[in-house]
Every structure is written in structure tokens, then in C-alpha cells.
Amino acid sequence: FRPSKNKIGTLAQFIAVNESEVSLKPRNLNFIESASLPLVGLTCFQSLFKIGKINSNSKVFINGGSGGVGTFAIQFAKAYGAY
């Protein structure tokens, strides 16, 4: 979780945040699984779009595509139209 203030993450067990920055945990996931999804998604998004600057015509090589970030990266790239 990266709160809007300073966007540096959280290092405490509890933190006060705006209601708009949180969402409900899906019932079919445990707390560990649901806590990992935002970090994996953010890592993937930053890698592909902020650093990699892919577009719909990009060819993307995803090393470790069967891992946590890799499985997201394949889906993100495909949804964006990359090959």
C-alpha cells in the first residue's frame, strides 16, 4: 500500500488514510494473498508502463512469466495490445 502522502509506503502496523485509498478484501482471499496483489500489480505496472514505456505495438520479453509479477505482466501487456 502506498498512501497518497509522499507515496513512500508504510512501515507501521497501523496507519490513518483517506477512505478513497482503500478497498474491501475479497472474501475468497486470505489477508496475505490480498495484501500481495497491490504490490505485484504496482510493480508490474511501473515496470511495463513507467520504465518500459510499452505501447500497443511493443514486443515484450517477460523473463519469469510464471511468477507473481510475471503472470500479471503477461496479462497487462496482452490487454494493452503488446506482443
Side-chain angles (χ1 to χ4, degrees), residues 5-39:
K5 183 177 180 172
N6 300 329
K7 297 200 184 296
I8 60 170
T10 59
L11 303 173
Q13 186 174 0
F14 299 100
I15 183 172
V17 297
N18 292 327
E19 181 180 354
S20 64
E21 296 182 325
V22 297
S23 62
L24 294 174
K25 177 186 82 60
R27 292 182 181 186
N28 62 331
L29 298 178
N30 63 41
F31 282 98
I32 294 172
E33 292 167 336
S34 61
S36 69
L37 291 175
L39 180 61

Side-chain angles (χ1 to χ4, degrees), residues 30-80:
N30 63 41
F31 282 98
I32 294 172
E33 292 167 336
S34 61
S36 69
L37 291 175
L39 180 61
V40 171
L42 182 60
T43 300
C44 173
F45 180 83
Q46 288 174 327
S47 300
L48 291 176
F49 302 106
K50 297 282 186 175
I51 297 169
K53 299 185 186 336
I54 71 165
N55 60 47
S56 60
N57 296 321
S58 295
K59 289 187 177 181
V60 181
F61 174 71
I62 299 171
N63 188 22
S66 64
V69 174
T71 55
F72 270 58
I74 291 169
Q75 294 176 67
F76 277 29
K78 185 73 175 172
Y80 201 68

